Amino acid sequence: LERQQQQQAADIDSQQRKQVRQELTLQIHEEKLALSNTTSMESRLDALEAEREHSKGKEVGFHVDFADHDDTVQLQHDGQPIKFNNIITNVGDHYNPSSGVFTAPYAGLYMFTLHAMGAEHHGGITTLVIVAAGNDKAATLQVQ
């Protein structure tokens, strides 16, 4: 009887050891996975920081309008750029207030917002053209 009890105790001990090994193996696997995810996130963070560092000094943006919002802009010459006289911001100095021309320094997507109103005077046509890369088909508005 004593031998049988010892065998049962040994079997229970063996099962407990096996269960502990399985739990430790699972815990090790989870820690390796967590470490792998951390390493992956650190790599992504490093890549984003490098991209940000590479982009420093490449910020572009400008906001312009007319100093007196009640004035009507009269263009003296057809086809000439509108020269805004109130430069609110000009990040990167890519808008030239002397010429009225913005030069995009980098290939990419640029967004322009323009509020304009035209009126017919003496049967004339008001035309507004936005020129991109020498192509005046970027945007055209005509008011008759």
Side-chain angles (χ1 to χ4, degrees), residues 2 18 52 68 71 89 97 104 107 115 131-132:
E2 189 175 318
K18 187 176 180 181
R52 180 175 176 229
D68 187 352
D71 280 349
T89 187
H115 301 276
V131 179

Side-chain angles (χ1 to χ4, degrees), residues 102-119:
F102 167 76
T103 304
Y106 312 106
L109 180 65
Y110 292 85
M111 182 180 89
F112 296 89
T113 303
L114 176 72
H115 301 276
M117 189 166 58

Side-chain angles (χ1 to χ4, degrees), residues 1-87:
L1 182 65
E2 189 175 318
R3 196 178 252 284
Q4 195 176 18
Q5 289 175 342
Q6 287 176 347
Q7 184 61 41
Q8 286 176 346
D11 288 345
I12 291 172
D13 190 44
S14 175
Q15 289 174 353
Q16 287 175 341
R17 286 183 188 167
K18 187 176 180 181
Q19 185 178 358
V20 168
R21 272 194 218 108
Q22 288 174 340
E23 289 174 2
L24 287 174
T25 301
L26 181 60
Q27 186 178 6
I28 290 170
H29 177 71
E30 289 173 350
E31 288 179 8
K32 284 182 180 179
L33 183 60
L35 182 60
S36 173
N37 288 340
T38 301
T39 302
S40 175
M41 289 187 337
E42 286 175 350
S43 295
R44 288 176 56 197
L45 180 59
D46 289 345
L48 286 171
E49 286 175 347
E51 183 178 329
R52 180 175 176 229
E53 191 65 31
H54 178 70
S55 297
K56 278 188 178 177
K58 292 186 178 183
E59 293 87 2
V60 178
F62 73 103
H63 181 183
V64 294
D65 68 6
F66 292 101
D68 187 352
H69 297 289
D70 294 330
D71 280 349
T72 300
V73 177
Q74 299 290 328
L75 300 179
Q76 301 298 322
H77 306 285
D78 288 339
Q80 297 299 311
I82 298 171
K83 297 175 186 174
F84 294 92
N85 62 5
N86 187 26
I87 313 305

